[in-house]
Amino acid sequence: MSKGANLGEQMARAIDISRLETPSYVTDLGALEANLKLLRSVQNRSGCTILLALKGFAQWSTFPLVRKYLAGATSSSVAEARLAREELGGEVHAYAPAYSEGEMAELVTLADHIVLNSPAQWRRHRAVIQRAGRSAALRVNHEHQEVEVALYDPAGACSRLGTTRANLKAEDLEGLDGLHFHTLCQTNSDALERAVAAFEQKFGEFIPQMKWVNFGGGHHITRPDYDVDRLVRVLTEFKAKWHVPIYLEPGEAVALGAGVLVAQVMDTFHNGMDIAILDTSATAHMPDVLEMPYRPMIVDAGEPGAKPHTYRLGGMTCLAGDVIGDYSFDRPLEIGDKLVFLDMAHYTMVKTSTFNGVRLPSIATHDPATKLITVHKRFGYRDYRDRLS
Ligand SMILES: *Cc1c(COP(=O)(O)O)cnc(C)c1O
């Protein structure tokens, strides 16, 4: 997996962390805007529409910037749809594996485009969606696998995400405006090209009756080695062939390499190897490190043994496995040293927990023009208490 690639190091070095409180997520507005500009150029060149998937990045203090470049957002829940409607504006799309009647009653007041996971969900919610005048689509599963890690592969065997061709009858699509697939994760445009071919092969007969299609997220468009020209060609060819508007809804690509997590060394000691305790946590503040799993990059740190002083970096919780990884440094770590974890804007703030009552990292932005860091949010006891009762 390429997460943890050396993304955003130059940007990270330009942030003056000397007076910054820790732990803090800091998103660099310049890096974020560079991503957004690239995404807008894809929209302009291909005629597709790009939405932000809030599931991956929902730092809403940055939405005034996001709004300048993207058409809107897609949501995975009523709460995300509401955030999109109230804080971002533009088009609001929604998809979830299932909606209750109560959720749908609220969702139709917030989302313009609603994607259902199954024909049964469409039958259950059709009347409410149509009465509200919303546009509905079916998520299909073309069963073409491009993702190596099962946790992130919606097209694998026995998937619950999307309707397979075998489970779809032509009459199930009656009244629907769109088809949606999402089967990519951190992939390049060659994977999209194959996914689109699989989509056409399985569901092509239904495309002419559709008003829109959505090719989901997982497009790693802002990664340095991403083949943007090929993406534009795939989208342009699809539009020329089928004459139907295309949506893309990346999450990760919007914020790739655009933010850091700054933590501080709290203690060091030796037990079989040198160990450092940080004021952050893998499980509470960067859960993908354990879930994916992957090894985040740290500014000025190397692989274990590459530099003279190797440490196992551990978090603040009592979970034995709350370990970020082993890293080496040029000099011994000291209490108070700050460490800068790269590429921490996406799938972090949206996934944190207050496990162990550990304080959540502050949420900040850095303006590269003025060099100013603005802390937009600090967390404390109430955030922990209010999630319980
Ligand atoms: C997760 C998800 C996305 C965004 O995926 P990224 O990998 O962050 O680009 C888009 N659409 C759907 C339906 C998703 O589940």
Side-chain angles (χ1 to χ4, degrees):
M1 288 265 119
S2 56
K3 175 148 184 168
N6 201 357
L7 286 166
E9 181 162 358
Q10 207 184 340
M11 168 277 284
R13 284 181 192 282
I15 302 175
D16 177 9
I17 57 164
S18 58
R19 300 214 318 274
L20 180 67
E21 63 200 51
T22 61
S24 286
Y25 298 111
V26 186
T27 298
D28 185 81
L29 297 174
L32 179 64
E33 188 159 22
N35 286 349
L36 292 165
K37 281 186 172 152
L38 177 56
L39 296 174
R40 182 175 65 182
S41 81
V42 169
Q43 298 189 97
N44 290 344
R45 288 172 63 195
S46 68
C48 80
T49 303
I50 300 186
L51 309 164
L52 162 65
L54 291 177
K55 184 185 85 192
F57 179 72
Q59 188 182 358
W60 49 270
S61 55
T62 69
F63 285 0
L65 195 60
V66 174
R67 193 183 294 134
K68 282 163 64 178
Y69 297 95
L70 301 184
T74 191
S75 55
S76 328
S77 59
V78 176
E80 282 187 0
R82 182 167 169 187
L83 189 75
R85 175 60 65 214
E86 293 184 356
E87 302 297 336
L88 183 63
E91 291 187 30
V92 179
H93 294 228
Y95 160 79
Y99 292 102
S100 70
E101 265 140 33
E103 285 168 332
M104 187 55 75
E106 203 178 340
L107 190 67
V108 295
T109 69
L110 300 164
D112 324 286
H113 293 66
I114 298 172
V115 181
L116 289 312
N117 194 52
S118 68
Q121 277 278 302
W122 173 228
R123 284 192 293 276
R124 184 173 181 192
H125 298 299
R126 178 175 181 167
V128 173
I129 293 171
Q130 289 187 328
R131 205 175 313 127
R134 302 312 193 181
S135 187
L138 183 71
R139 174 166 175 173
V140 295
N141 175 2
H142 52 57
E143 298 169 272
H144 170 80
Q145 292 182 261
E146 288 286 349
V147 180
E148 280 149 38
V149 182
L151 183 64
Y152 295 98
D153 185 7
C158 310
S159 173
R160 72 186 199 294
L161 304 172
T163 299
T164 58
R165 185 64 189 83
N167 281 342
L168 183 67
K169 294 194 277 304
E171 59 266 32
D172 291 332
L173 294 170
E174 208 251 309
L176 287 169
D177 292 338
L179 291 175
H180 174 289
F181 74 80
H182 170 71
T183 54
L184 303 177
C185 179
Q186 301 187 330
T187 36
N188 213 314
S189 43
D190 58 328
L192 175 67
E193 186 159 21
R194 292 187 292 271
V196 168
F199 172 61
E200 288 177 317
Q201 198 233 318
K202 288 243 164 107
F203 298 97
E205 63 184 291
F206 305 119
I207 299 172
Q209 73 198 63
M210 293 300 157
K211 297 199 178 94
W212 51 277
V213 294
N214 186 321
F215 293 167
H219 320 283
H220 236 191
I221 302 170
T222 51
R223 195 172 79 199
D225 70 341
Y226 190 90
D227 186 348
V228 177
D229 291 340
R230 185 175 190 150
L231 170 68
V232 170
R233 176 175 60 71
V234 170
L235 297 172
T236 310
E237 285 176 4
F238 189 93
K239 274 192 76 177
K241 184 168 171 190
W242 300 103
H243 308 288
V244 66
I246 306 169
Y247 288 100
L248 300 181
E249 46 182 31
E252 182 153 334
V254 175
L256 201 63
V260 297
L261 171 61
V262 184
Q264 195 168 151
V265 176
M266 308 290 285
D267 198 7
T268 62
F269 53 86
H270 192 90
N271 179 24
M273 67 181 294
D274 285 330
I275 293 170
I277 311 283
L278 308 182
D279 64 353
T280 185
S281 159
T283 187
H285 299 165
M286 41 183 125
D288 273 355
V289 166
L290 302 181
E291 284 180 24
M292 206 148 193
Y294 82 102
R295 181 189 152 86
M297 299 283 292
I298 299 175
V299 174
D300 289 335
E303 294 291 321
K307 292 171 180 256
H309 304 279
T310 294
Y311 288 82
R312 176 155 299 171
L313 302 180
M316 287 284 280
T317 74
C318 300
L319 175 74
D322 188 358
V323 170
I324 298 148
D326 295 351
Y327 295 80
S328 65
F329 300 87
D330 289 322
R331 57 174 190 79
L333 289 181
E334 284 170 24
I335 293 169
D337 283 350
K338 284 178 180 166
L339 300 183
V340 179
F341 291 87
L342 294 178
D343 206 16
M344 283 288 160
H346 56 86
Y347 290 110
T348 51
M349 296 168 236
V350 291
K351 284 187 107 173
T352 50
S353 78
T354 55
F355 181 53
N356 275 219
V358 171
R359 191 165 65 81
L360 294 166
S362 302
I363 294 180
T365 53
H366 174 251
D367 183 341
T370 60
K371 303 231 172 272
L372 282 179
I373 295 177
T374 307
V375 178
H376 296 268
K377 177 86 179 168
R378 287 190 176 89
F379 298 89
Y381 168 66
R382 286 210 162 81
D383 300 289
Y384 166 69
R385 186 198 66 183
D386 289 352
R387 301 189 54 199
L388 301 163
S389 110

